[in-house]
Structures are given as structure tokens and as C-alpha cells.
């Protein structure tokens, strides 16, 4: 399997099958899977703690460290796929929607080369009325 | 776009293009993207705080709440895709590897219907020698 | 040491001394300490994953599990104390301030017995103008 | 209130009183409070995302930003104090214990000026037999 040839649904089915074979679906409530995700993100972050960006780049050259990092990221994906699946949410569709919303909030000409939040250059009154916290700044 | 027809790489490219158009790649260090991921997970969790599993199921029936949750999960995916991409990590391949390792740690006959960690039924001495924290229990 | 007789500053000094003795202050940037905090919270959450509230209550009766949970919470406090200390922030003063703000947002008569966010009962237009995300709902 | 004159228990009582006045104790299960803590940590991290250590130092000179950061840290403390309180855990005692354990794992002469985990300089076989994940590296 690789990212070029594998669909999101194929990965969802892979982790679903793993759970079904073990009769684990009964434990997979959204709240618990959200907690799983937070735990796995903590384990990704262990690789970055007290490391400079340059040191992390170096770690990625080391096959063992690189593999350990890849596995922690895979665990995050695992939890996220199960979470979306038990909620019946289509991740690709949701991401496409979110990108479209972000493109409105961060027009290219205003946001170019700026890492601050869109609220820094939105004129007062233009704030999106949903009150939804904008966090698509990735 | 939907999960059945979209590959992981297509989603990675979608978020990469968004960043390139805004000249944001310069900010996308692994450490910062790991931080992004933790922030987005916190926003997913806001939907679960003080809610029973039954109440969350009910929330998912409400189109606005469902959409808000889908968007927060999409933000997590966004951060994770950028993180893997800047690290040059193939997520599908890493997940397939991790599943294979988890299948060894959680044999069907021993783990069936049990939510505890594999260390609960591994005999002492059989502990995997990598010392890698097992967190694939999703 | 116990909670009744120990001040926040005494605990801050305890962890500061530990770091100084090991010449670790050089690593203690706010960003890294924030990452530490996220990691430690993940380790607290490991004790709650796939557990009902009743099961967690039971775990707290078991001395070993209780001690393990206490230690993970202590790790969170450790990271938070170092973070506040390197930032020169007085935690007790900040908490007192935050409680006063929360008391305005959550008037007793309106919020009594309700777990939802203050925004659910604030009339439109009364929203606090700071735009500060309210998250004191603990 | 300030860190020098305020005990941990006084702060615990402050947040307990706030909850009692609003009849919120019914919502304060350990699992939900752990989730609260993860959410609040995410909000602290928002201040560090895409910022260099130097930029964060600068932000701390700005009174408004500094206050916003202090409030997010206070929210973390709030969640942690409620969590420990509902679990009946004495945080100061737990921290003192954890520091003593960490002092054994990180002897001054071996750990001085090193940011890596104790497992990097523990000889094989000396690994602590509790299997407890060491995360006191703050």
C-alpha cells in the first residue's frame, strides 16, 4: 500500500476489519476514539520535544527514528479513520469543504507569506458569522 | 471528492497546493505541524466534553453539529497530511506496517472482546524488544 | 508535601531546582514545555481510554493504578509549572482572574446545572468583545 | 492571590466552589476533565504555533498577549485541579514522589546538559521494572 494508490476508504476498511476480527467495535465510541487520537498525537510529539527543527530533520535521516515517527503518525491516522468511520463522516469530502472555506478566509493576496490567523487581516464586521473557530491554518 | 475515490496522495496534494499558493511552506516545520495537530484534536474534543456517548450520537443527527464535527476532523487530517508530507513519510505504507505489527501483538484469540493493552496478556519475557510504546489499540 | 501546606511557588521551585541541578534550563523554551504538557496529558488520558466512568472509579480504588494516575497528573503539573515559570507568569493570580471572568460569563442563575457553553445563553451582541475563546467550563 | 502565598488546596477549593455554585459537579467525571485538559493545552499551544522561541519571548513582552497566554495556562491548571480533586489525588504529594523517582532515573552526573530520555544512558537490565513510561523529563 502507498499513498498514491490507496484511497481513504481502503484505509478505513483496513482498520475496521482489524477491529471487527477482534470484536472491538463495541469499544469504539466517538469520545474514546477522540481520546485515542489525543494520546497518539502526544506520542508523535515525543519525537519533537527539546529538538530543534534542524535536529528533527537529522532524525528523519536515521532509518530507525524515521520508522518510529512514521508509526506514530500512522497511529494518529488509525484513530482518526476509526473516529470518522463510526461517526459516518466522509473525510475527503469534509476536507475539500474545509479547504474551500479556508480559501475564502485566507485570500492569496492577503495571506501570502504570513503565518498569523486570518482574524489579523479581516476587517471588523467581516468576521464569519458562524462563530466557528478557524483552525485550518496548516 | 469522497473517501471511496480519493487517494491519500490526492489529499496531500490538495493541502500542499493550498500552502504553496500562500507561500506558507516556510512555516511548515514538523514541530509546528505536530503542534497544529494537537490543537485540532483539542477542537474535535470540544464536541465530546461533558457529553455522553448517547448525546454525541444525537448530535451527529443534527446537520449543523455534524458538519462542525466533520470540519474539525478534516482539520486534523489536514495537519497530519502536511506533517507526513514535509517528513517524506508515506502514511498508507506506515499504517499497513503498523497494522501488521499490531496483529502480532493482539492475536485474535487472545484479544477478542478485550479493551485492555496487549501487555495484559503477553507473558513476561515476550514483551516486544523494541521498547516501542504500543498504541495501536484503536 | 501536601496540597494543604504547599504553595504553588514551592512546587515551582522544586521543579526548577531539579532542572538547574541537571543544567536543563537551556532546553526549557515555552514551545517545548507546551509540547511536554500535551505529551503528559496524553499519558493521563491513557488511563481513561475505553473505560466507563464507573470503571475509572474502580481503578482509583486500586492502589497501583491510583498511584500511576497520580503520577501522570503530577507530570502535567510539572510541565505546567515549568512553562509558567519560564514565562514569568503567576498561575494563582491568573487563575483568580480567569475565575472572575468566568463568573461573569456563567451567571449562577443561567448556568446552573447546564453543561453547555455560555454562548448558548448569551444574547447576540453581548458576546464578549475580546474574541477570546471561552474554555473555562471546568 | 499569588503563587507565593497560595496553596494548591486553596486553588482547588476556588474552582470547586465555582462548580458547586453552578451545580456542575455532576458533569465532572475524570474522563471529561481529562478531555478538558487536552482542550486547554491545545489553546495554550495556539500561542506557540508557527512562532520561533524568540518571537514567543517577544509576545510575552506584550501585555495583552501575555495576559491571553496566562489565561490559557490558568485554564489548564483549572482542569488539572478539578481532575485531581474528583479523583481524590494530592497533587503536591504526587509531584514530590515523581521528582524523587526522576532523580533516580536522571542522576545529575549522567543527565547533566542532556535532553534525551534516561533510557539513552540506562544500561540494559537496569530499566525500571515498573514498565511505567518515563515522562518526567521537564
Amino acid at each position: 500500500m502507498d499513498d498514491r494508490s490507496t484511497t481513504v476508504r481502503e484505509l478505513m476498511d483496513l482498520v475496521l476489519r482489524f477491529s471487527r476480527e477482534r470484536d472491538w467495535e463495541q469499544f469504539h465510541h466517538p469520545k474514546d476514539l477522540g481520546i485515542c487520537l489525543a494520546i497518539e498525537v502526544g506520542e508523535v510529539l515525543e519525537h519533537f520535544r527539546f529538538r530543534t527543527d534542524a535536529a528533527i530533520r537529522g532524525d528523519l535521516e536515521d532509518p530507525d527514528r524515521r520508522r518510529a515517527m512514521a508509526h506514530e503518525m500512522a497511529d494518529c491516522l488509525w484513530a482518526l479513520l476509526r473516529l470518522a468511520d463510526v461517526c459516518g463522516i466522509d473525510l475527503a469530502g469534509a476536507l475539500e469543504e474545509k479547504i474551500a472555506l479556508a480559501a475564502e478566509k485566507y485570500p492569496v493576496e492577503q495571506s501570502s507569506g504570513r503565518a498569523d490567523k486570518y482574524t489579523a487581516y479581516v476587517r471588523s464586521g467581516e468576521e464569519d458569522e458562524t462563530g466557528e473557530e478557524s483552525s485550518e491554518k496548516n
Side-chain angles (χ1 to χ4, degrees), chain A:
Chain A
M1 281 184 156
D2 64 37
D3 287 345
R4 292 207 177 277
S5 64
T6 312
T7 66
V8 176
R9 187 65 238 178
E10 284 169 334
L11 292 178
M12 264 182 188
D13 285 339
L14 184 71
V15 296
L16 172 60
R17 196 160 51 240
F18 188 90
S19 297
R20 285 221 170 123
E21 286 169 358
R22 283 155 188 80
D23 193 19
W24 284 356
E25 281 185 284
Q26 59 183 308
F27 307 120
H28 288 183
H29 310 290
K31 195 166 183 168
D32 282 293
L33 293 167
I35 287 176
C36 284
L37 186 51
I39 295 169
E40 302 306 344
V41 172
E43 298 191 9
V44 168
L45 289 174
E46 281 202 49
H47 293 275
F48 304 151
R49 168 170 56 174
F50 305 132
R51 311 287 292 158
T52 62
D53 292 320
I56 295 166
R57 289 281 163 203
D59 294 343
L60 282 162
E61 304 292 315
D62 176 87
D64 287 346
R65 293 197 176 202
R66 177 187 188 75
R67 194 162 170 264
M69 285 191 230
H71 284 181
E72 299 302 356
M73 291 178 208
D75 281 336
C76 292
L77 184 59
W78 189 333
L80 182 58
L81 291 167
R82 284 299 296 138
L83 174 60
D85 203 14
V86 304
C87 293
I89 282 168
D90 190 280
L91 280 176
L95 183 53
E96 192 182 28
E97 254 184 56
K98 201 71 207 274
I99 294 257
L101 289 169
E104 285 174 34
K105 278 189 195 159
Y106 296 95
V108 168
E109 60 278 14
Q110 287 183 297
S111 60
S112 184
R114 297 179 57 169
D116 45 3
K117 212 165 169 175
Y118 75 99
T119 45
Y121 41 85
V122 157
R123 276 177 303 157
S124 135
E126 282 186 50
E127 179 85 22
D128 69 320
E129 59 286 346
T130 63
E132 201 183 347
E133 246 313 277
S134 153
S135 11
E136 66 289 334
K137 185 82 196 206
N138 299 317

